[in-house]
Amino acid sequence: MTTDASGVRRKPVQDTQSWAMEFDPHRLPLLREVVTAQMRLWELEERVEDARLIATELVCNIKHTGDNHFRLIMRRRTDAIVIGVRDFSPVLVAFPDTEPDVADLDLRELAEHGRGLSCVRSFADGVGVRPVPNGKVIWAKLRYPHACQA
């Protein structure tokens, strides 16, 4: 699995959709419905659940940066969907290289931190973080199922 953004940028974009939002845990169902609707519009039913999980976890990560405003970005490329969250904090996040050792962690800490980006890494076909002016974009790539490649 790669964290190199260059592989994502090389593919031509067929379509990009984005939505300005504000983080609120009570609005996560709306976020998931936006992702579901877009994936269905692109006829990618087989990856809907993965896309919903990834978008939710990427968005939940921004609550730790101090600014609740973000932009959800979904890009349809020739070989994959790229889901990104652009926030307005310069604090870069790191995807864990491995799963945390539960024996070494306080379970209360594990309940709040450390699982989301590990989940994203395990479901995605590529992940990364890219600094942008006044913030960053954290992204994950989902390749199309074989049946969806045209």
Side-chain angles (χ1 to χ4, degrees):
M1 188 168 317
T2 181
T3 58
D4 177 18
S6 63
V8 173
R9 286 189 228 133
R10 274 186 265 143
K11 304 293 181 186
V13 174
Q14 294 178 337
D15 193 9
T16 299
Q17 300 295 324
S18 69
W19 302 266
M21 299 181 169
E22 184 174 352
F23 179 80
D24 177 346
H26 298 100
R27 298 186 74 197
L28 289 175
L30 174 63
L31 170 94
R32 288 189 283 271
E33 288 307 312
V34 165
V35 170
T36 299
Q38 190 61 52
M39 293 294 285
R40 287 183 176 153
L41 183 66
W42 285 335
E43 300 179 359
L44 293 168
E45 292 281 336
E46 295 175 33
R47 298 300 313 250
V48 167
E49 290 305 316
D50 293 342
R52 288 167 51 106
L53 172 76
I54 286 170
T56 300
E57 293 301 336
L58 293 180
V59 167
C60 285
N61 190 65
I62 69 160
K63 70 180 180 180
H64 305 295
T65 65
D67 187 341
N68 289 340
H69 294 89
F70 67 93
R71 180 166 290 278
L72 174 66
I73 306 159
M74 294 181 70
R75 288 193 172 102
R76 182 174 57 149
R77 299 191 181 268
T78 57
D79 67 337
I81 297 295
V82 178
I83 300 169
V85 174
R86 193 253 196 254
D87 68 23
F88 302 94
S89 168
V91 177
L92 297 179
V93 297
F95 284 89
D97 289 330
T98 60
E99 290 292 320
D101 184 355
V102 177
D104 294 336
L105 295 175
D106 180 331
L107 291 179
R108 290 170 296 190
E109 180 71 13
L110 184 61
E112 280 294 314
H113 308 289
R115 293 179 308 183
L117 294 181
S118 291
C119 287
V120 170
R121 181 178 280 288
S122 68
F123 278 89
D125 297 303
V127 297
V129 178
R130 182 172 42 97
V132 295
N134 301 315
K136 66 182 167 297
V137 175
I138 182 169
W139 58 268
K141 177 172 64 171
L142 285 173
R143 290 189 204 283
Y144 299 142
H146 182 65
C148 292
Q149 294 180 5

